[in-house]
Amino acid sequence: MALALGDAAAVRQTGREYADMSESRILRAEALVVRLIGILLGLGLLAMVFVNVANAAGRYSGLFGLVGADELLVYGMIWIVMLGAILAARDRDHLSINLLPSAMKGRPAAALQVAIDVATVTVSAFIAWHSFNFIERIAGLNQSSMGLGIPMIVPHSAILVGFTGIAAVTALLTIVDIARFARAEGAID
């Protein structure tokens, strides 16, 4: 009987180790994806600087002008900002006033973070929904940009993608924060 109990303990330990390894792999993969997205956003910014310098040089020298460069820069910046906002939400580096949360500990701090998360998810989902409705309407018009002929749903989709991403990331963080709140049950305030 003791051998069977020992075997069960070993199996449980192995199961925990496997779960820890799987979680570790998921976290490493997620960190790699986030790093790659950050690098791609940085390369996008560098490409935009190159386009801007080339356009300015060509325009002021009188040799050439890049048609649609200004559109490309504006639309590119909108996409970079919105994708970067998703990463900022993931790291909780977005614009926030943390005077009250930094002064709190234990359950009150966890409860406040859950409330902030729920508000962020709600507002982000609201904006994403209205962006989706606007994109549906603008798609029916078949409108395109004047310089490059880009369908206008492309730049307007950045808002939808950005706020949907912020809502999704924050929803996952809310689950973590609710678990943290539940664990803080016995914490001394």
Side-chain angles (χ1 to χ4, degrees):
M1 185 69 174
L3 182 61
L5 290 176
D7 290 343
V11 167
R12 274 195 306 274
Q13 181 63 31
T14 304
R16 269 190 239 118
E17 289 171 0
Y18 179 75
D20 290 344
M21 286 187 335
S22 294
E23 184 177 319
S24 177
R25 286 184 196 142
I26 291 169
L27 291 176
R28 281 195 308 252
E30 188 260 352
L32 178 65
V33 168
V34 167
R35 181 141 172 83
L36 288 173
I37 291 171
I39 289 169
L40 289 173
L41 291 175
L43 291 173
L45 279 173
L46 288 174
M48 289 174 52
V49 167
F50 176 76
V51 168
N52 196 20
V53 168
N55 189 37
R59 198 181 287 169
Y60 289 114
S61 69
L63 297 176
F64 63 92
L66 298 176
V67 176
D70 294 333
E71 277 183 11
L72 181 66
L73 293 172
V74 169
Y75 300 156
M77 185 57 71
I78 292 168
W79 271 97
I80 287 173
V81 166
M82 294 312 299
L83 294 174
I86 297 170
L87 295 183
R90 175 213 175 251
D91 293 336
R92 296 203 171 151
D93 286 338
H94 50 79
L95 181 62
S96 66
I97 300 172
N98 63 354
L99 181 62
L100 187 58
S102 65
M104 300 171 80
K105 292 183 180 176
R107 287 184 61 77
L112 179 61
Q113 188 58 58
V114 168
I116 291 169
D117 290 345
V118 168
T120 302
V121 170
T122 302
V123 170
S124 297
F126 178 80
I127 294 170
W129 174 254
H130 284 284
S131 177
F132 177 77
N133 288 334
F134 181 77
I135 290 168
E136 274 188 328
R137 282 187 274 153
I138 203 167
L141 298 175
N142 266 347
Q143 187 179 10
S144 60
S145 67
M146 294 192 319
L148 295 174
I150 296 173
M152 291 307 291
I153 61 169
V154 173
H156 288 288
S157 294
I159 305 299
L160 173 63
V161 169
F163 280 102
T164 300
I166 291 169
V169 165
T170 307
L172 291 174
L173 290 173
T174 303
I175 293 167
V176 170
D177 290 337
I178 289 170
R180 187 176 297 131
F181 180 76
R183 281 195 309 267
E185 183 73 43
I188 298 172
D189 296 337

